[in-house]
Amino acid sequence: MIDKNLAPSRYQALKFGLWIGMASITMMFAALTSAYLVRRPAGNWYEFKLPVQFFVSTIIIIASSITMEWAYKSLKNQNQKNYNYGIVLTFGLGILFLVSQILSWKALVASGITIDLSVSGSFLYALSGIHAVHVIGGIAAIMVCVANAFLNSFTVSSMRLLKVDLVRQYWHFVDILWIYLLLFLILQ
Amino acid sequence: MSANHSPLVEKDKLIQELGYDDHFHEHHHGDKYQTNFLTTYIFSQDHKMIARQFLMTGIFWAVIGAAMSIIFRLQLGYPDADLSWLKPVLGKWITINDAGIGRLEPEFYYALVTMHGTIIVFFVLTAGLSGTFSNLLIPLQIGARDMASPFLNMLSYWFFFLSSVVMFYSLFLSTGPFSGGWTAYPPLSALPQASIGSGAGMTLWTVSLVLFVVSVLLGGMNYITTILNLRTKGMSMWRMPLTVWAFLVTAILGLLSFPVLASGFFLMLFDRSLGTSFYLSDIFINGQALDRIGGSPILYQHIFWFLGHPEVYIIILPAMGIVSEVLSVHARKPIFGYRAMVYSILAIAFLSFIVWAHHMFMSGVNPFISNFFVVFTLIIAVPSAVKVFNWISTLYGGNIRLNTPMLFCIGFVSMFISGGLTGIFLGNSAIDIQQHDTYFVVAHFHIVMGVAAFFGMFAGVYNWFPKMFGRFMNETLGKIHFWVTMIGAYAVFGPMHYLGMAGVPRRYYRFDNFDAFKDFTDMNKFITIAAIITFFAQLLFVVNFFWSMYKGRKMTEQNPYGSNSLEWTTPIETGHGNWPEKIPTVQRWAYDYGKDNKEFIQQHVPLAEGEEHSSH
Ligand code: HEM
Ligand SMILES: [Cu+2]
């Protein structure tokens, strides 16, 4: 679809497009967290502790950002082996993050905080659930990278580097987004 | 039309000499998109084809949306009339009583009103207007081969298509489409049991609009990146035609506000299917209290109008851009106050994010907070007035060609003034206590947004029809279309101001059985008749459109209007990639009309010896 011999502005355009996409996702979570802020002082708000699994998830997703960074650096240095390790590891950690989120929800349910118990709980499910959907998008993109790594020959074209770079930026974005949500929930 | 066309060859030579060579033709990817019927007409990645797809789909929806309004206007104008002749179309929604008189089901009346609003606001005036003209004009006017991502651009259309299919399907549900108003306030929207349209109808409504949001985001992402990154050499921001400025800001507004709407819809979906209570509290159904507590319907209103108000500017800004461009071309004068035009677009866009609660003055929002929104709402009138002033100044002393596009531009300015003035009434929270949810509001937003945006769209279609189809639309039919619509629109919405001031509420099934509103029977009849006539004028437009596609006068010269912007430097049959060889480079702004005794100087023509850039 995109020709690598075209003027560099085209690359720039793709990156820029991703940033705009991230800005609109940010708006979405800004809306949800503002709704939370507006709703909370209105009372009838059930207080509870965040399940510890959410903190485990956080560690997992931070780790996956580090492996992603490693994969990208390796690709840049034409190091096929490390790139393959890195990208597969990131993929695995991504899945693990989702698993950990599911465990968190299970723990919540087990302690009686079901999604329809109280608005405060509903918000927690909504925020983490909608975030998880965005993580799934990122995992899908990483999966394409993994497939590429094993099915195609190893060539480090500028186009390939760009594609992996886009995936990497998006992945860091959902990572930071999660940290923001967690901090938001803790501080609230 | 205009006198001083330099021969084609000379202009093409300019592109040859000064153009920018991006080696487009050394790669064959350009034509890969268009190798067979499917990739040329259906899954096309060419922005010009996608523009036409948006336009056709928009026209389809416009006809449906308008037809719906005629049906509910019949109900309001003639509540006792026999509507059994509609039975073949509406089926069980027309019930025939013992006397043999066919009546429109009240439930379906509400569904019609709701669908009319949803369809016109989102499918016609957002997708049909922005989708068509952003796609057509952005690459052509900034000198790009195509959008930054033709693939996402194609997806943007197909998400819109899917969203259309879902909404269309919902019209045929046995429980009917959603019927709680286009703003979908809870609890009617959040509780499936609240009304018959609140069940499956509302589910499909939400799904359709979520798909729609995806379409808007994909499109907008593309428009912004394309404008900021793919402008040809010499095309600085301050040399862009105002159309492109308008599309840019529109896309930014969309990207910042539609995701918020999506969030609101997600919470709504949770409420509907997972038993949460984000928007619900203290609900009684048939005297039974529901155990859904703790939520707030006002929260939904905040979220909805945080999108909703920018959305009205998402609709009007592209129309403003088109009008600025077409007005200047056919007045043969540079647009008056180019920079002021850009700054006022930016100011309007910024302000549109901090006025949303003027839709909620009567929803129990704290009156002190309301004051904040009153002030900013009224401040929007300032940049709006700047724009109106500049359009009128552009016309003043111009060598005006009163062709159809120009007529619609003038009509736009007239409508925008009339509707803007009533906005100032409504923006004052104290006056709004009386006017809220009356026909005054209906009149306000139909004139300032509905009719005005349609006029901008018509101006654009008539003006760029040759660029899209290589032929002109029929001028005589176009002028009839304009005059009937112009007079018809005022005849329909003018009296509604009066109704509203008398307190007639919107969204009622009939008025004749209320003592207070009985006296307006004749006025309601008058409005209905005017609406029917106006509707037929729109059918005339549709006929003209399709007839002209095949039979219209052929376009024989590249630049038929003597226009400066780059889209008119492409060949009449514009292929993929837009320019056959080099891309023109830009030497001047887009509005050198009547400069140095030349009627017009195109953007790719270099400055003459001793000539200075027009100051703007
Ligand atoms: C001077 C500028 C304007 C002011 C001060 C203004 C003010 C208002 C106010 C206060 C309302 C709420 C009335 C109520 O519900 O009681 C309103 C409704 C509305 N306005 Fe405007 N307006 C202005 C321009 C516009 C423009 C340019 C558009 C669209 C292009 C627009 C579209 C709408 C729509 C769609 C509604 C009603 C939505 C609904 O309730 O269904 N307005 N306006
Ligand atoms: Cu508004």
Side-chain angles (χ1 to χ4, degrees):
Chain A
M1 178 182 78
I2 293 138
D3 195 291
K4 63 174 191 282
N5 295 320
L6 283 183
S9 65
R10 192 121 197 176
Y11 286 165
Q12 213 43 49
L14 282 177
K15 270 199 195 162
F16 195 82
L18 179 71
W19 293 338
I20 294 174
M22 297 193 298
S24 61
I25 297 174
T26 306
M27 279 308 285
M28 205 160 116
F29 283 92
L32 290 169
T33 43
S34 331
Y36 186 102
L37 287 179
V38 174
R39 172 62 191 77
R40 198 179 130 90
N44 212 337
W45 188 265
Y46 187 81
E47 299 280 356
F48 56 86
K49 268 207 154 108
L50 292 177
V52 59
Q53 283 85 345
F54 273 141
F55 296 93
V56 179
S57 311
T58 314
I59 295 170
I60 297 174
I61 201 162
I62 293 176
S64 77
S65 258
I66 296 169
T67 56
M68 184 78 227
E69 200 57 27
W70 180 48
Y72 179 67
K73 288 270 149 58
S74 310
L75 186 68
K76 244 181 167 169
N77 301 333
Q78 314 248 5
N79 186 336
Q80 180 178 13
K81 207 174 94 211
N82 285 357
Y83 170 68
N84 287 0
Y85 278 137
I87 199 81
V88 171
L89 218 60
T90 313
F91 179 71
L93 287 170
I95 300 278
L96 215 60
F97 172 79
L98 285 182
V99 172
S100 174
Q101 293 299 76
I102 293 170
L103 292 179
S104 316
W105 296 326
K106 285 212 155 136
L108 277 172
V109 174
S111 61
I113 303 160
T114 51
I115 186 164
D116 54 359
L117 177 73
S118 129
V119 187
S120 58
S122 305
F123 264 115
L124 183 57
Y125 283 100
L127 289 171
S128 55
I130 297 173
H131 174 263
V133 173
H134 288 87
V135 171
I136 292 176
I139 291 181
I142 295 177
M143 211 154 82
V144 175
C145 295
V146 172
N148 248 322
F150 289 97
L151 300 178
N152 294 341
S153 58
F154 187 76
T155 43
V156 187
S157 64
S158 49
M159 192 62 226
R160 174 129 187 227
L161 213 60
L162 173 77
K163 280 183 180 160
V164 176
D165 190 20
L166 294 181
V167 176
R168 158 181 160 260
Q169 293 193 18
Y170 179 76
W171 192 250
H172 291 332
F173 170 73
V174 288
D175 181 354
I176 292 169
L177 193 57
W178 174 250
I179 296 173
Y180 159 71
L181 290 178
L182 193 78
L183 287 179
F184 175 84
L185 290 168
I186 293 172
L187 295 180
Q188 277 313 306
Chain B
M1 282 200 152
S2 63
N4 68 342
H5 293 299
S6 343
L8 285 184
V9 245
E10 197 179 303
K11 294 275 145 106
D12 286 346
K13 256 201 269 166
L14 265 178
I15 301 186
Q16 239 4 295
E17 266 169 39
L18 299 169
Y20 165 65
D21 193 357
D22 63 346
H23 306 283
F24 182 66
H25 281 272
E26 287 156 33
H27 316 290
H28 294 284
H29 76 282
D31 301 322
K32 187 174 72 185
Y33 303 145
Q34 297 182 310
T35 43
N36 58 32
F37 180 81
L38 215 63
T39 46
T40 310
Y41 294 103
I42 313 290
F43 296 106
S44 173
Q45 298 189 19
D46 184 293
H47 69 101
K48 300 182 290 298
M49 183 56 70
I50 296 174
R52 281 173 276 188
Q53 291 174 327
F54 269 109
L55 182 56
M56 299 285 178
T57 318
I59 291 179
F60 168 81
W61 276 119
V63 172
I64 296 198
M68 287 175 163
S69 72
I70 295 305
I71 298 175
F72 63 68
R73 259 331 303 181
L74 278 176
Q75 164 64 30
L76 290 173
Y78 301 89
D80 289 320
D82 176 16
L83 293 181
S84 49
W85 56 276
L86 277 170
K87 189 134 181 108
V89 193
L90 297 185
K92 71 168 188 183
W93 302 114
I94 299 282
T95 45
I96 300 189
N97 64 13
D98 298 339
I101 307 252
R103 286 280 153 75
L104 183 66
E105 278 288 313
E107 288 290 350
F108 199 65
Y109 170 84
Y110 289 115
L112 285 174
V113 181
T114 304
M115 286 296 126
H116 166 77
T118 308
I119 289 169
I120 302 283
V121 167
F122 292 111
F123 293 174
V124 183
L125 295 181
T126 305
L129 179 57
S130 267
T132 304
F133 290 102
S134 297
N135 267 305
L136 179 71
L137 294 179
I138 288 174
L140 284 172
Q141 289 193 331
I142 64 170
R145 295 283 184 202
D146 205 314
M147 289 286 180
S149 170
F151 178 71
L152 290 187
N153 206 28
M154 175 182 81
L155 280 189
S156 151
Y157 174 73
W158 286 102
F159 269 98
F160 170 45
F161 186 82
L162 237 113
S163 145
S164 295
V165 170
V166 174
M167 192 64 82
F168 193 67
Y169 180 78
S170 86
L171 300 180
F172 300 99
L173 291 171
S174 67
T175 47
F178 180 53
S179 54
W182 78 278
T183 51
Y185 282 1
L188 281 182
S189 54
L191 285 173
Q193 65 270 39
S195 76
I196 63 168
S198 304
M202 179 58 193
T203 305
L204 292 188
W205 189 93
T206 323
V207 170
S208 168
L209 282 192
V210 169
L211 291 170
F212 186 82
V213 172
V214 175
S215 158
V216 171
L217 296 183
L218 289 175
M221 225 153 93
N222 233 333
Y223 307 154
I224 299 175
T225 28
T226 306
I227 295 172
L228 293 184
N229 293 284
L230 299 185
R231 298 191 309 277
T232 183
K233 252 166 100 176
M235 179 64 89
S236 65
M237 296 295 275
W238 288 114
R239 284 181 181 171
M240 297 196 310
L242 285 172
T243 31
V244 180
W245 268 110
F247 300 145
L248 173 67
V249 177
T250 303
I252 295 174
L253 283 182
L255 278 165
L256 295 179
S257 61
F258 270 101
V260 175
L261 181 71
S263 293
F265 285 162
F266 291 145
L267 299 188
M268 170 88 76
L269 285 172
F270 285 147
D271 271 6
R272 289 173 63 76
S273 49
L274 299 177
T276 57
S277 307
F278 289 109
Y279 303 140
L280 295 167
S281 197
D282 307 312
I283 310 266
F284 291 84
I285 290 191
N286 297 329
Q288 281 277 300
L290 231 61
D291 67 339
R292 307 280 288 272
I293 48 163
S296 154
I298 308 281
L299 175 61
Y300 175 84
Q301 295 190 16
H302 278 297
I303 294 180
F304 183 86
W305 286 114
F306 186 84
L307 157 97
H309 188 82
E311 165 67 11
V312 306
Y313 286 97
I314 290 172
I315 287 175
I316 207 72
L317 286 181
M320 287 178 164
I322 289 171
V323 166
S324 306
E325 173 71 15
V326 174
L327 207 67
S328 158
V329 170
H330 295 298
R332 315 308 291 148
K333 274 183 67 190
I335 188 83
F336 187 89
Y338 173 84
R339 284 200 183 226
M341 285 306 229
V342 175
Y343 288 130
S344 53
I345 291 179
L346 294 173
I348 288 176
F350 172 73
L351 288 170
S352 75
F353 277 107
I354 48 174
V355 298
W356 76 88
H358 64 216
H359 296 273
M360 300 165 61
F361 288 148
M362 294 294 285
S363 301
V365 171
N366 182 327
F368 292 106
I369 296 181
S370 283
N371 283 341
F372 170 91
F373 288 101
V374 169
V375 170
F376 284 104
T377 300
L378 297 182
I379 290 179
I380 289 205
V382 177
S384 307
V386 167
K387 298 199 75 89
V388 169
F389 179 81
N390 287 354
W391 287 318
I392 294 174
S393 308
T394 306
L395 286 173
Y396 181 77
N399 191 1
I400 297 175
R401 297 178 188 149
L402 266 188
N403 50 18
T404 314
M406 183 55 146
L407 285 174
F408 273 107
C409 288
I410 297 172
F412 172 93
V413 176
S414 159
M415 290 292 164
F416 191 72
I417 296 173
S418 318
L421 286 177
T422 53
I424 296 177
F425 288 54
L426 297 171
N428 291 282
S429 55
I431 302 177
D432 191 55
I433 296 173
Q434 164 73 5
Q435 313 292 32
H436 177 67
D437 259 346
T438 67
Y439 269 84
F440 194 86
V441 175
V442 176
H444 158 68
F445 71 76
H446 275 89
I447 287 191
V448 76
M449 173 173 83
V451 181
F454 263 106
F455 276 22
M457 192 164 163
F458 286 135
V461 172
Y462 282 104
N463 193 65
W464 279 286
F465 194 84
K467 195 72 251 165
M468 285 190 269
F469 300 104
R471 290 169 186 272
F472 289 89
M473 286 182 73
N474 182 295
E475 270 290 309
T476 315
L477 291 181
K479 286 189 176 136
I480 299 175
H481 174 216
F482 168 75
W483 284 109
V484 179
T485 312
M486 179 80 184
I487 297 168
Y490 274 123
V492 170
F493 299 114
M496 285 188 190
H497 292 98
Y498 178 74
L499 291 179
M501 284 196 266
V504 178
R506 62 194 283 205
R507 293 178 175 154
Y508 272 35
Y509 174 66
R510 60 191 298 168
F511 296 108
D512 56 329
N513 41 15
F514 294 91
D515 276 342
F517 309 134
K518 265 217 269 288
D519 298 341
F520 302 117
T521 310
D522 285 337
M523 193 172 275
N524 270 320
K525 282 192 182 133
F526 174 81
I527 293 176
T528 299
I529 293 169
I532 293 173
I533 295 172
T534 316
F535 175 70
F536 279 105
Q538 309 318 304
L539 292 187
L540 193 68
F541 165 79
V542 176
V543 170
N544 188 357
F545 185 92
F546 287 102
W547 181 84
S548 303
M549 252 168 84
Y550 298 101
K551 292 274 156 62
R553 183 163 62 82
K554 271 210 163 124
M555 180 178 169
T556 49
E557 44 185 334
Q558 251 177 339
N559 186 7
Y561 306 124
S563 180
N564 289 344
S565 41
L566 291 181
E567 78 270 28
W568 302 107
T569 62
T570 58
I572 295 178
E573 290 268 342
T574 317
H576 185 75
N578 298 340
W579 287 270
E581 292 178 16
K582 293 183 180 174
I583 303 181
T585 52
V586 165
Q587 316 287 339
R588 54 179 75 238
W589 75 326
Y591 298 100
D592 273 338
Y593 292 103
K595 189 186 184 192
D596 299 339
N597 288 327
K598 295 209 185 70
E599 199 194 338
F600 67 99
I601 313 174
Q602 286 182 278
Q603 276 194 284
H604 67 298
V605 179
L607 294 189
E609 193 99 10
E611 183 189 355
E612 289 190 6
H613 279 297
S614 314
S615 60
H616 55 267

